[in-house]
Amino acid sequence: MSASTQDTGQMEGALARLVAFYEHLSIESLAQLGAVYAPDARFKDPFNEVVGHAAILAIFEHMFVQVDAPRFVVLESLGQGAQAFLTWEFRFRMKRLVSGEQCIRGATHVRFDTQGRVVLHRDYWDAAEELYEKLPLLGGFMRVLRRASQR
């Protein structure tokens, strides 16, 4: 097996491990974070920008406190070299304000180290459309702003 074939296989395995981590995410599975993320991994989403296991773990722990039944559904994943791009849906129930299951659609760019662990994780999703517009009062205001900006 050539080095590039081995590298490709390792990155495919890393991507599969990352997808499985997110699709089976639970408060208990957070113990596996170190197997998926490098110790100095950078994580950024519309609300957070942190570095390291402890800070990334805190984001996930906070998620489990803020919402009920959170789960990720990875729709597609594409890898090339040490990078990958995933599209996903984040499904959850709010603990207050809004009833019923909610869904945020987004995408993630990741970069892996030579051990197949994530060193860069960047989420892309529209907080205004996917979250704020679904909240009582604030949602109506956000929809008015969006319509006004489209004129």
Side-chain angles (χ1 to χ4, degrees), residues 108-143:
T108 299
H109 171 241
V110 293
R111 188 177 313 258
F112 298 101
D113 66 11
T114 57
Q115 286 79 45
R117 296 173 303 177
V118 174
V119 292
L120 171 69
H121 175 131
R122 172 94 190 251
D123 284 342
Y124 297 92
W125 56 277
D126 184 345
E129 178 182 353
E130 298 289 343
L131 185 60
Y132 298 145
E133 285 187 10
K134 298 174 183 176
L135 299 174
L137 298 176
L138 181 59
F141 179 68
M142 295 300 292
R143 287 187 294 275

Side-chain angles (χ1 to χ4, degrees), residues 25-57:
L25 193 62
S26 68
I27 200 73
E28 296 80 20
S29 72
L30 290 177
Q32 300 302 313
L33 188 110
V36 178
Y37 285 85
D40 59 348
R42 294 182 352 203
F43 179 100
K44 182 173 178 156
D45 68 13
F47 299 112
N48 305 283
E49 186 168 2
V50 300
V51 176
H53 284 168
I56 295 169
L57 182 62

